[in-house]
Amino acid sequence: MRKRYLIFLFVIMGLALSCSVIYSKSGSTINLYNTTEDKSDFNIEKNGSAGTRFNATDKLTRVSVYITTFGATKDCRIALYKWDESYSKTVSSAPVAVEDFKDVLGNRWLNLNVEAEKGEYLAVVYYVKGRIGVSQTRTHIEHTVTYTNGYKGLGNISMKITYDGEPSTSLAPLSKEKEPEKVNDPREPKLPKDHPINQRNVKPETWHAIDALGRELPDYEAVGSSKKNKYVAMFYWIAHDYFEIEGMPINLTNLMKQYPEAKNDYKHRIWYEQKAAAYFWDEPLYGYYTSLDKYVYRKHAEMLANAGVDVIVFDCTNANYTWRGGYTTLLEAFAEARLAGVNTPKIAFMLNFAPFVETAEMMYNLYLDIYRSGNYQDLWFYWEGKPLVMAYPEILGQQSDPLFKEMLDFFTFRPCDPSYFTTKPAHSTYWGWLSVYPQCKYGVRPDGTVEQITVGVAQNANALYGGTAMNGIDVYGRSFSMKNGFSTDPNSKYYGINFQEQWDYAIEVNPDLIFVTGWNEWQASRHEYWGYTENAFPDVFTDEYSRDVEPTKGDLKDNYYYQLISNIRKYKGVSKPDITYTYKTIDITNIKAFNKAYAYTHYVGYAEDRDEDGYGDTHYTNKGVRNDVVVSKVIYDKDYIYFYVETLNNLTDPKDPDWMRLFISTKNMSLDKSWEGFDYAVNITSPENGYSTIVKSTGGWNWEETGKAKYYIKNNVMTLAVPRSAIGQEGGKPHLYFKWADNNCSDGDILSFYTDGEAAPDGRFTFVFTPANGKHTFQVSTMFIVILVSSLLFAGAIGLLISDTIRRKKKK
């Protein structure tokens, strides 16, 4: 029995050995990357890809890719193509093999089984959903080419192939590739006269606004005419899809109100009781949005354009992350906004705070993805005649690829000084991003003029340690002043004391460019210990200890947004108002009567719905614009003010909820007896029987009727005859501000002017109708002109007749 068992065991071992030999002879695996080199992650983001080209010397049976994932489960697609001349031509053909991989967990090899004869191939990993990445080496092995997002990349990704047999040569040489064309003219393009921005000619710097604190925006009389060669840059974050995980975002401002004792307690129970998708210092006005939400970027395009921001600078200062998913989504949204007449900010990138090898990788990818091919060229921000990049150029000179020499000649480089405490930069070309007061002057010239200076909302710094976490000791928050210390006013966070102190100094210095930090950082990271602080939140923490200007749903609302606009106007000036006032009695059913009245133009053509995932388990939907206002006009006489509004498409039914409201603010407006600075409104209730109801605020969203306005609708035009007596404008010249709003503000929340329906102009802005900012003209009828001319001719003839009679009498 024992002998039989041993014989059986030897048979099994023999079979196993024979199977092993057969397996080893049935194929071989070839690594397409350097297995001995340290690897880094390359993120494949929205519309992105990563791939390798190789020339197989035997029949292929498998392509394997090592996938890295972040957070929740992710999806990707792997495809194998037969190579054909160029990358773009190759991927436009049908793949030899393709497979979708769903719910990819952890870091692992994914295998694509194929049946392909020897030859030249391209294997590509595509983004499908969530956060997918591949491992990447910085050097590449012979006879391979790596492609990231369709362009040649550096190094190799972790990929291997399996042959059916064991060829004597692992890989064959590659064929010559047809290179993509370089942009013909990298110089800054000028907008043609027929571009929508020039055609619409929207002038937000002439609009008026009163913020929630009662602060009015300065006008032309206060700040003077526009100054040449003055620019405002805004630090901007596009990394809001990278950190997405399951759960709900945690609002730290609200959390600290409930559990203040947890501020510096890393082990406090609240940090573990709830599954946090992310920590936010507060909830943004547009919710916990990600960098893939095109709807939000379209809104930002208008908000930043209206503020007078010239360029947004993307934060790409960490590792080798350029956040391609974010910037491609934003570029699409901004390009569409420009076609609607929005003079959007331009874009630039800020890379690492030192000349790291990651800087070269990022420059390589950005150059090929955007700049070399001329993508979105009218959105590039130029400085000294070349596209600006805030990066250290010396690292590029250390690279062997000839493209790096191209880059050195292509860009204007301004390396970023990371310190908040620099008094004199190490190099004349350095720029800053955030400084304590008085801020460092960058690029000081022999004549004392300054190229750049920073303005920050707050700084994660203190007198004790210098740089520290935002929840540290005596941090320079929104209420801090270097001159006056920490404010004891419980409402000080609303007023931007730190922000204003820095603005005042920057305007006094009067540099060429002011760099503002920042717009939309929002997300906070938590560390057990950082910057001399336990349970540290390094960059943002609560509404007091954060540095974003973008409006919130919380206490700060949009106060900092209008504070930003006010200071930009003080720094840059505004265009001179060109409003002409038309005095004429008209019939509102005669739409042509408004033809010669001044046209208040607005952006046109934005009607996209929102249907996007936010952070974690959040999801946001919003209907687009219902009645898209494109032009407004005003005429007046001694008894009436006549309003004209034109929409992109035919007006909807007046019985629709919150339909086509006209809000009016007068010079006699009182904040305590108004709604958000508006003391009158038309169509708060639906119009009927040819008349709209005029109401006056008794304080807040409480209204009492003061009169009726006759209205007339024809297709996409509505006209109104508003009695001057009903809005307190009897006698003299009217003095008022006005705006149109549709499908929003049902409950008196003025922030819905940003998020819902249409507001023309946007947010709290109003058009200005006041004699102080224009010339008064009379518009008269053709018949009146004929009568006047006839009378003058008749009078002239009588005059000649009398003169002739007198002359004859003298002769006699």
Side-chain angles (χ1 to χ4, degrees):
M1 186 71 179
R2 190 169 188 178
K3 184 176 180 182
R4 288 179 182 178
Y5 175 79
L6 290 174
I7 293 173
F8 177 75
L9 182 61
F10 283 130
V11 169
I12 294 299
M13 293 176 62
L15 287 172
L17 183 60
S18 64
C19 288
S20 175
V21 172
I22 291 172
Y23 177 79
S24 67
K25 290 183 178 180
S26 66
S28 56
T29 299
I30 307 299
N31 292 313
L32 303 184
Y33 67 102
N34 187 344
T35 58
T36 63
E37 184 179 338
D38 291 337
K39 294 180 286 294
S40 60
D41 290 329
F42 175 79
N43 299 314
I44 306 175
E45 300 181 76
K46 181 184 176 183
N47 300 324
S49 62
T52 300
R53 179 161 65 108
F54 59 91
N55 198 341
T57 57
D58 199 354
K59 183 178 179 180
L60 281 174
T61 60
R62 180 178 293 174
V63 174
S64 304
V65 185
Y66 190 78
I67 300 293
T68 58
T69 62
F70 306 86
T73 57
K74 314 298 175 184
D75 302 345
C76 69
R77 176 176 298 129
I78 301 178
L80 180 70
Y81 300 89
K82 183 71 175 173
W83 179 258
D84 186 6
E85 194 176 66
S86 68
Y87 183 94
S88 58
K89 187 176 180 180
T90 297
V91 297
S92 65
S93 63
V96 175
V98 62
E99 184 175 348
D100 287 341
F101 295 87
K102 297 182 179 295
D103 299 330
V104 178
L105 295 172
N107 300 319
R108 61 185 61 194
W109 288 95
L110 297 183
N111 299 314
L112 174 66
N113 295 319
V114 302
E115 292 184 8
E117 300 299 323
K118 67 179 181 179
E120 198 164 351
Y121 291 93
L122 172 68
V124 184
V125 184
Y126 291 103
Y127 170 96
V128 173
K129 179 184 176 183
R131 173 60 58 193
I132 287 289
V134 291
S135 292
Q136 183 182 35
T137 60
R138 292 199 170 98
T139 59
H140 76 278
I141 64 172
E142 191 178 18
H143 305 324
T144 63
V145 174
T146 293
Y147 296 88
T148 54
N149 304 318
Y151 300 99
K152 285 184 178 179
L154 299 173
N156 285 120
I157 65 172
S158 296
M159 185 179 290
K160 55 189 178 182
I161 56 176
T162 301
Y163 288 140
D164 183 54
E166 293 186 348
S168 57
T169 305
S170 298
L171 297 171
L174 297 171
S175 61
K176 186 175 181 180
E177 180 177 0
K178 183 179 179 181
E179 296 289 344
E181 293 184 5
K182 181 182 176 183
V183 60
N184 293 325
D185 189 353
R187 293 175 298 178
E188 184 172 10
K190 293 186 177 180
L191 289 178
K193 291 182 179 180
D194 61 351
H195 192 281
I197 291 176
N198 291 327
Q199 290 292 311
R200 297 302 303 162
N201 194 28
V202 180
K203 295 182 177 180
E205 72 271 20
T206 65
W207 299 342
H208 181 259
I210 301 173
D211 71 7
L213 302 174
R215 300 178 297 191
E216 293 190 50
L217 290 181
D219 58 11
Y220 176 79
E221 293 181 359
V223 301
S225 58
S226 299
K227 304 175 182 67
K228 293 184 179 180
N229 302 320
K230 297 296 178 185
Y231 303 93
V232 173
M234 178 66 74
F235 206 17
Y236 193 98
W237 282 262
I238 52 173
H240 287 298
D241 63 323
Y242 174 68
F243 301 99
E244 180 187 2
I245 57 175
E246 296 174 347
M248 292 298 293
I250 302 300
N251 184 321
L252 288 169
T253 294
N254 291 341
L255 197 68
M256 288 301 100
K257 290 177 181 178
Q258 294 179 273
Y259 304 98
E261 74 280 4
K263 176 181 176 181
N264 297 116
D265 184 356
Y266 186 77
K267 296 182 180 180
H268 193 284
R269 63 181 179 81
I270 66 166
W271 306 118
Y272 305 98
E273 286 181 347
Q274 43 200 327
K275 187 176 182 180
Y279 295 110
F280 276 66
W281 66 264
D282 203 352
E283 184 175 3
L285 178 61
Y286 294 107
Y288 300 105
Y289 62 84
T290 77
S291 295
L292 306 181
D293 196 333
K294 189 176 176 182
Y295 177 93
V296 175
Y297 286 145
R298 181 64 175 77
K299 293 290 188 179
H300 286 178
E302 291 190 15
M303 295 178 72
L304 293 166
N306 295 340
V309 173
D310 299 285
V311 53
I312 55 175
V313 182
F314 300 138
D315 177 20
C316 299
T317 56
N318 294 294
N320 62 350
Y321 304 141
T322 58
W323 319 117
R324 185 178 186 271
Y327 74 68
T328 55
T329 305
L330 181 141
L331 288 170
E332 291 173 10
F334 274 37
E336 291 176 7
R338 294 173 77 79
L339 294 177
V342 185
N343 189 15
T344 68
K346 305 296 181 65
I347 63 105
F349 291 83
M350 182 193 294
L351 307 187
N352 309 117
F353 287 137
F356 300 138
V357 66
E358 288 86 354
T359 306
E361 295 173 5
M362 288 190 283
M363 285 294 304
Y364 192 93
N365 292 328
L366 292 172
Y367 184 55
L368 290 174
D369 197 26
I370 300 176
Y371 294 100
R372 196 173 194 266
S373 52
N375 290 333
Y376 300 100
Q377 188 172 352
D378 66 332
L379 282 170
W380 305 350
F381 182 69
Y382 284 75
W383 197 255
E384 295 184 345
K386 297 180 181 181
L388 172 74
V389 62
M390 293 183 68
Y392 288 76
E394 52 264 43
I395 190 64
L396 305 187
Q398 302 172 18
Q399 311 302 314
S400 58
D401 193 306
L403 279 179
F404 288 102
K405 176 61 168 65
E406 273 187 31
M407 294 180 223
L408 287 169
D409 297 333
F410 189 90
F411 292 97
T412 294
F413 290 87
R414 289 294 182 267
C416 188
D417 179 6
S419 176
Y420 306 167
F421 304 95
T422 301
T423 55
K424 185 176 180 181
H427 196 281
S428 61
T429 62
Y430 283 15
W431 279 6
W433 73 287
L434 190 64
S435 299
V436 297
Y437 175 92
Q439 305 94 283
C440 179
K441 302 174 184 177
Y442 291 91
V444 180
R445 304 181 184 96
D447 64 358
T449 58
V450 177
E451 184 175 55
Q452 193 248 22
I453 200 169
T454 66
V455 166
V457 172
Q459 302 81 38
N460 50 335
N462 62 15
L464 183 61
Y465 302 119
T468 189
M470 274 294 197
N471 61 327
I473 301 169
D474 293 335
V475 176
Y476 299 161
R478 295 179 188 254
S479 301
F480 173 77
S481 164
M482 194 65 77
K483 294 178 181 178
N484 302 313
F486 298 93
S487 175
T488 57
D489 184 346
N491 296 318
S492 59
K493 68 180 181 181
Y494 299 109
Y495 291 89
I497 296 170
N498 192 332
F499 197 33
Q500 194 57 50
E501 183 175 63
Q502 296 221 339
W503 263 113
D504 290 343
Y505 182 68
I507 292 170
E508 178 187 337
V509 171
N510 193 29
D512 300 339
L513 183 144
I514 293 177
F515 188 102
V516 181
T517 295
W519 179 253
N520 61 336
E521 189 171 13
W522 291 116
Q523 201 205 40
S525 59
R526 189 170 76 97
H527 305 264
E528 186 172 4
Y529 192 83
W530 186 94
Y532 309 98
T533 306
E534 292 184 14
N535 193 47
F537 290 87
D539 296 306
V540 293
F541 182 51
T542 59
D543 49 9
E544 171 65 39
Y545 300 105
S546 53
R547 51 197 184 201
D548 290 344
V549 171
E550 185 184 4
T552 82
K553 290 184 178 180
D555 293 345
L556 300 183
K557 300 186 186 302
D558 52 358
N559 291 341
Y560 280 78
Y561 177 56
Y562 290 98
Q563 186 176 4
L564 169 77
I565 298 168
S566 178
N567 284 288
I568 289 178
R569 289 186 177 187
K570 293 174 186 176
Y571 166 60
K572 294 171 61 175
V574 299
S575 60
K576 187 175 183 179
D578 56 0
I579 302 173
T580 299
Y581 296 89
T582 302
Y583 183 95
K584 182 183 179 183
T585 299
I586 64 169
D587 176 0
I588 62 171
T589 63
N590 179 17
I591 292 175
K592 292 183 179 179
F594 287 90
N595 283 355
K596 293 184 179 180
Y598 178 79
Y600 297 85
T601 55
H602 194 248
Y603 312 125
V604 60
Y606 179 55
E608 225 178 80
D609 294 348
R610 184 186 189 188
D611 188 6
E612 290 287 345
D613 289 333
Y615 264 78
D617 299 333
T618 61
H619 186 85
Y620 299 99
T621 58
N622 192 292
K623 288 295 183 183
V625 174
R626 184 172 66 189
N627 292 301
D628 191 355
V629 175
V630 297
V631 174
S632 303
K633 297 179 181 180
V634 183
I635 293 175
Y636 78 99
D637 63 16
K638 65 183 181 66
D639 296 316
Y640 291 93
I641 299 177
Y642 308 99
F643 291 91
Y644 167 106
V645 61
E646 179 183 331
T647 55
L648 182 63
N649 301 308
N650 287 350
L651 285 157
T652 60
D653 190 335
K655 294 181 180 179
D656 287 342
D658 311 320
W659 183 83
M660 291 302 294
R661 290 167 169 173
L662 173 65
F663 291 92
I664 298 171
S665 177
T666 67
K667 194 67 176 177
N668 302 321
M669 180 272 300
S670 170
L671 275 178
D672 61 343
K673 292 186 177 180
S674 73
W675 170 74
E676 301 286 1
F678 295 98
D679 40 358
Y680 294 94
V682 182
N683 287 338
I684 289 295
T685 57
S686 297
E688 56 184 4
N689 302 324
Y691 284 90
S692 296
T693 301
I694 305 168
V695 294
K696 180 179 182 179
S697 173
T698 59
W701 192 254
N702 300 296
W703 307 92
E704 63 179 13
E705 184 175 339
T706 60
K708 298 287 187 180
K710 188 177 181 180
Y711 77 92
Y712 173 75
I713 296 175
K714 184 176 181 181
N715 299 327
N716 66 328
V717 172
M718 178 172 69
T719 57
L720 282 167
V722 177
R724 294 180 63 169
S725 59
I727 58 171
Q729 293 291 296
E730 305 98 319
K733 299 174 183 179
H735 191 139
L736 52 87
Y737 311 101
F738 71 97
K739 77 182 294 114
W740 292 96
D742 178 74
N743 201 20
N744 48 34
C745 212
S746 59
D747 58 355
D749 181 6
I750 196 170
L751 296 184
S752 67
F753 283 164
Y754 299 100
T755 58
D756 302 325
E758 168 72 320
D762 310 284
R764 296 178 186 266
F765 284 115
T766 62
F767 294 124
V768 179
F769 187 81
T770 167
N773 289 331
K775 58 183 180 180
H776 183 100
T777 66
F778 290 88
Q779 189 182 105
V780 294
S781 67
T782 303
M783 182 60 71
F784 178 80
I785 294 174
V786 170
I787 293 172
L788 178 62
V789 172
S790 299
S791 299
L792 291 173
L793 290 174
F794 179 75
I798 295 297
L800 289 174
L801 181 61
I802 294 171
S803 177
D804 185 61
T805 301
I806 294 172
R807 183 176 55 80
R808 287 178 180 179
K809 286 183 178 180
K810 286 183 177 180
K811 282 186 177 182
K812 290 181 179 181

